């Protein structure tokens, strides 16, 4: 019995969401009286993997096979399944990311495990029943899910768990091979295209997001959003109408049918707050709404609000952030 | 080419979510149900690809009780050729995946499409489970899907970018925008949908691996704190000193 944590790496670094996943996994291990082992995927460095000790991980398994640098569903699934068998893992924890969902769903069938995605809290293991809280109804509700299988797979929603940082603790890094063959790489990507991120902050991983809607009146005004985002170290986003008319690219669209984000701070500029937009942002910790219409429904979901003209307010905010820094 | 499009029957996107008094089930009373918005991308793209190929069929599949039939008919009106309903309430993602896999296998479908996730349960699980049950590749979430012979070229969204992936049939893809512009039924479609075949079959498989003990609504917000527009800079101070998020 042990806990296996899947850690996603990119450009040598462990992703922030995976630090949360590692912290979640080590706390589950403690609860079950066992240890947490990580299996790393993507491009990692040994030093960064050893640092996962700070999140309570005791051992990291890493296959340095170069073809594993990019996501390959078949190969990743086989690698993680092999690590789970080697460690006798009863609980597997991964990020509720596009990689985590793709691998977790296949793994659950292969390992005959119960799967819960979109998990927002540590599990309860009481009276022989293993229960986790997950988000449902597009952020409008939560569900306590009972995982009835002997094996459990949990995909943890970003920014729901505080990452642990126990300075000085290190994990041992072990090389690990799942004897992958060419067939396991049959669905490898032919090409990977990364977007230019404004200010270099990736929207799905961002702690802070500045988002614009139709109230911004046109793409030529987006520098106001970008300036504030840059000052705050935030990612930029937009509402559906904005991406529908191509003012901004689709990958910036947050909402029911776009990306779901849960940053610490979400600043909505000129967005009225249709229920479909709220579905993508309502698990943000703090929501700020700037809108000239005091009746905009978004104010009901906001923590802070300013009723006024975004074109006047945004430069003032950017200036205030610069002064503060 | 045979397309199988899986659709889910979900509460309309503007629904106020409430639960039964014991909090064990979603309260359906007075709720309008629609085809899951993500599934509309899968359905329309399958119809477009069939039209481009000039032959083939699009079958729509739903796991649900008889009350989902209006939305199955709507999918037929949009342009699917026939439909299958597995007569059971969808218990969990694995239960649904087992039904889809059984039907996909029996009907030897070439392309199995569905939406990225359902907007009610937000599992984002079924696609991978179906692929694994059938031992075929899954591409999820797919933003673009083109076919040339038996080879599909897809764009898969990854955090911060996309991957171009090529797979051969049979495969599973879970779809999202901007794959296509979802179609709405026209009058002719609505008329012909009435007579298109809708087969009802009983469920199969081992059954669910999870269950919901209780639903809960999120805690209510404290209410918005308004800052006068003239002193907008105050907001930044509050975000640092009070909310502690910057």
């Amino acid at each position: 019995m042990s806990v296996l944590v899947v850690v996603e790496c990119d450009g040598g670094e462990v992703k922030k969401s995976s630090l949360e996943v590692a912290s979640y996994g080590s706390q589950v291990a403690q609860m079950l009286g066992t240890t947490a082992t990580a299996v790393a995927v993507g491009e990692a460095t040994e030093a960064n993997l050893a640092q996962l000790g700070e999140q309570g991980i005791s051992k990291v398994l890493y296959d340095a096979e170069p073809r594993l640098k990019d996501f390959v569903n078949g190969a990743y699934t086989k690698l993680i399944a092999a690590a789970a068998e080697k460690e006798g893992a009863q609980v597997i924890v991964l990020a509720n990311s596009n990689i985590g969902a793709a691998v977790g769903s296949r793994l659950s069938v292969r390992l005959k495990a119960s799967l819960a995605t979109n998990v927002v809290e540590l599990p309860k293991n009481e009276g022989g029943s293993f229960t986790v809280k997950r988000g449902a109804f597009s952020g409008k509700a939560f569900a306590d899910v009972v995982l009835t299988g002997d094996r459990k797979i949990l995909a943890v929603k970003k920014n729901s768990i505080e990452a642990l940082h126990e300075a000085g603790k290190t994990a041992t890094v072990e090389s690990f091979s799942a004897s992958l063959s060419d067939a396991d790489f049959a669905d490898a990507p032919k090409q990977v295209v990364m977007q230019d991120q404004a200010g270099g902050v990736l929207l799905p991983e961002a702690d802070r997001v500045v988002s614009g809607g139709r109230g911004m009146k046109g793409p030529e005004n987006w520098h106001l959003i970008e300036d504030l985002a840059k000052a705050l170290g935030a990612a930029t986003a937009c509402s559906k109408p904005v991406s529908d008319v191509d003012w901004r690219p689709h990958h910036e669209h947050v909402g029911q049918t776009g990306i779901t984000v849960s940053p610490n701070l979400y600043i909505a500029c000129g967005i009225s707050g249709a229920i479909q937009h709220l579905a993508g942002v309502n698990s943000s910790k703090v929501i700020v709404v700037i809108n000239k219409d005091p009746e905009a429904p978004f104010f009901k979901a906001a923590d802070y609000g300013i009723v006024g003209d975004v074109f006047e307010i945004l430069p003032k905010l950017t200036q205030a952030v610069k002064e503060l820094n | 080419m045979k397309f199988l499009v899986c659709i889910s029957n979900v509460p309309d996107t503007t629904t106020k979510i409430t639960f039964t008094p014991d909090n064990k089930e979603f309260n359906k009373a007075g709720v309008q149900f629609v085809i899951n918005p993500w599934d509309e991308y899968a359905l329309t793209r399958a119809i477009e690809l069939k039209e481009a190929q000039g032959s083939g069929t699009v079958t729509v599949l739903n796991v649900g009780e008889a009350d989902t039939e209006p939305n199955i008919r709507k999918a037929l009106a949009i342009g699917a050729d026939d439909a299958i309903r597995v007569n059971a309430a969808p218990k969990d993602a694995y239960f649904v995946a087992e039904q889809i896999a059984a039907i996909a296998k029996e009907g030897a479908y070439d392309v199995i499409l569905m939406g990225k996730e359902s907007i009610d349960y937000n599992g984002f699980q079924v696609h991978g489970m179906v692929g694994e049950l059938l031992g075929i590749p899954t591409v999820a979430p797919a933003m673009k899907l083109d076919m040339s012979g038996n080879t599909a070229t897809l764009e898969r969204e990854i955090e911060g970018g996309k991957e171009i992936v090529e797979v051969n049939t049979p495969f599973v893809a879970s779809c999202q925008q901007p794959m296509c512009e979802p179609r709405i039924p026209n009058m002719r479609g609505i008329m012909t949908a009435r007579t298109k075949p809708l087969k009802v079959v009983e469920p199969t498989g081992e059954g669910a691996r999870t269950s919901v003990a209780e639903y809960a609504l999120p805690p209510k917000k404290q209410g918005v704190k308004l800052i006068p527009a003239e002193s907008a800079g105050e907001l930044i101070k509050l975000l640092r000193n009070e909310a502690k998020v910057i």
Side-chain angles (χ1 to χ4, degrees), chain A residues 249-325:
Chain A
H250 155 72
H251 64 256
E252 284 199 358
H253 157 207
V254 293
Q256 185 117 49
T257 50
I259 299 179
T260 302
V261 294
S262 47
N264 289 326
L265 175 61
Y266 184 80
I267 303 182
C269 311
I271 303 177
S272 63
I275 196 161
Q276 292 89 343
H277 184 75
L278 294 182
V281 306
N282 56 11
S283 51
S284 306
K285 295 226 161 68
V286 172
I287 294 179
V288 175
V289 171
I290 305 166
N291 204 301
K292 66 173 193 242
D293 175 11
E295 301 297 319
F298 216 153
F299 283 115
K300 288 202 177 69
D303 300 282
Y304 297 96
I306 302 179
V307 179
D309 182 353
V310 285
F311 298 103
E312 284 168 22
I313 292 165
L314 277 171
K316 282 191 197 168
L317 295 180
T318 306
Q319 188 56 35
V321 175
K322 284 183 180 159
E323 281 164 15
L324 205 61
N325 293 339

Side-chain angles (χ1 to χ4, degrees), chain A residues 68-179:
Chain A
L68 288 168
K69 184 173 147 299
D70 292 319
F71 172 67
V72 186
N73 207 343
Y76 275 34
T77 306
K78 190 166 172 185
L79 177 81
I80 297 162
E85 296 297 357
K86 175 179 182 290
E87 295 296 314
Q90 289 303 107
V91 180
I92 301 169
V93 187
L94 26 76
N96 197 55
S97 60
N98 284 347
I99 290 177
V103 173
S105 52
R106 290 196 86 100
L107 271 181
S108 73
V109 171
R110 199 169 298 183
L111 300 176
K112 301 195 190 320
S114 290
L115 170 64
T117 51
N118 223 0
V119 169
V120 296
E121 274 180 14
L122 286 167
K124 291 191 183 77
N125 189 25
E126 291 161 356
S129 145
F130 189 96
T131 310
V132 288
K133 190 184 278 291
R134 68 184 299 279
F137 293 95
S138 303
K140 288 185 262 184
F142 295 103
D144 284 338
V145 178
V146 184
L147 288 85
T148 46
D150 287 340
R151 269 191 161 138
K152 287 114 182 141
I153 303 179
L154 308 175
V156 180
K157 185 175 172 164
K158 284 165 205 164
N159 215 18
S160 347
I161 299 291
E162 198 78 36
L164 304 171
H165 285 286
E166 294 178 51
K169 283 180 77 180
T170 54
T172 55
V173 182
E174 252 178 47
S175 79
F176 173 68
S177 165
S179 319

Side-chain angles (χ1 to χ4, degrees), chain A residues 110 114 137 148 190 253 304, chain B residues 120 132 164 177 209 242:
Chain A
R110 199 169 298 183
S114 290
F137 293 95
T148 46
K190 300 284 169 233
H253 157 207
Y304 297 96
Chain B
D120 52 358
E132 185 71 20
I164 317 295
Q177 66 171 17
R209 288 177 178 173
E242 188 177 86

Side-chain angles (χ1 to χ4, degrees), chain B:
Chain B
M1 190 159 284
K2 291 180 74 179
F3 293 90
L4 182 66
V5 178
C6 311
I7 63 166
S8 180
N9 193 56
V10 299
D12 179 73
T13 54
T14 57
T15 306
K16 185 169 163 35
I17 302 300
T18 60
F19 300 104
T20 51
D22 61 0
N23 284 325
K24 290 203 183 296
E25 278 175 58
F26 173 66
N27 180 11
K28 289 184 181 179
V31 171
Q32 171 83 26
F33 280 79
V34 296
I35 299 175
N36 180 41
W38 302 97
D39 299 341
E40 291 183 347
Y41 292 98
L43 176 61
T44 296
R45 190 62 190 140
I47 296 165
E48 288 175 355
L49 288 169
K50 185 196 96 169
E51 287 170 354
Q53 289 168 0
S55 66
T57 54
V58 175
T59 301
V60 60
L61 168 62
N62 170 257
V63 180
E65 292 170 318
D67 58 357
T68 69
E69 289 198 2
N71 280 327
I72 298 176
R73 288 283 171 207
K74 187 182 170 197
L76 292 170
I78 289 169
D81 299 290
D82 61 341
I84 301 170
R85 179 171 69 82
V86 177
N87 186 28
K91 293 186 187 74
D92 78 343
Y94 183 70
F95 174 83
V96 172
E98 279 190 309
Q99 313 311 319
I100 296 170
I103 283 170
K105 198 170 179 182
E106 195 190 323
Y109 289 92
D110 302 295
V111 179
I112 302 155
L113 301 181
M114 60 190 76
K116 176 191 167 185
E117 64 182 17
S118 68
I119 63 163
D120 52 358
Y121 208 66
N122 307 111
F124 194 19
Q125 302 179 2
V126 172
H127 53 88
M129 291 177 171
V130 172
E132 185 71 20
L133 284 166
L134 295 170
I136 61 177
T138 302
V139 181
M143 301 189 289
K144 198 171 174 196
L145 165 61
D146 289 310
M147 300 284 309
S148 171
N150 290 327
T151 304
T153 306
L154 299 107
E155 283 184 12
R156 175 179 184 276
E157 184 173 65
I158 53 175
E159 277 79 6
K162 62 187 177 187
E163 293 177 349
I164 317 295
V165 186
E166 260 178 36
V167 290
N168 291 328
T169 57
F171 67 90
V172 181
S174 76
C175 307
Q176 69 172 49
Q177 66 171 17
M179 182 172 279
C180 57
E181 190 57 46
R183 291 185 189 178
I184 51 170
N186 58 28
M187 193 43 80
R188 192 171 158 269
I190 294 167
M191 300 301 284
T192 54
R194 291 183 192 160
T195 52
K196 286 180 178 173
L198 193 171
K199 190 166 83 175
V200 178
V201 300
E202 291 306 312
T204 169
E206 297 164 21
R209 288 177 178 173
T210 61
S211 64
V212 174
E214 194 174 30
Y215 286 103
L217 295 172
K220 283 236 181 326
K221 283 264 181 191
Q222 295 284 316
V224 61
K225 189 180 236 180
L226 287 175
I227 294 111
E230 322 64 272
S231 47
E234 283 300 308
L235 171 70
I236 300 300
K237 287 182 194 146
L238 287 168
L239 291 177
R240 169 157 298 183
N241 302 324
E242 188 177 86
K244 298 186 179 16
V245 287
I246 60 172

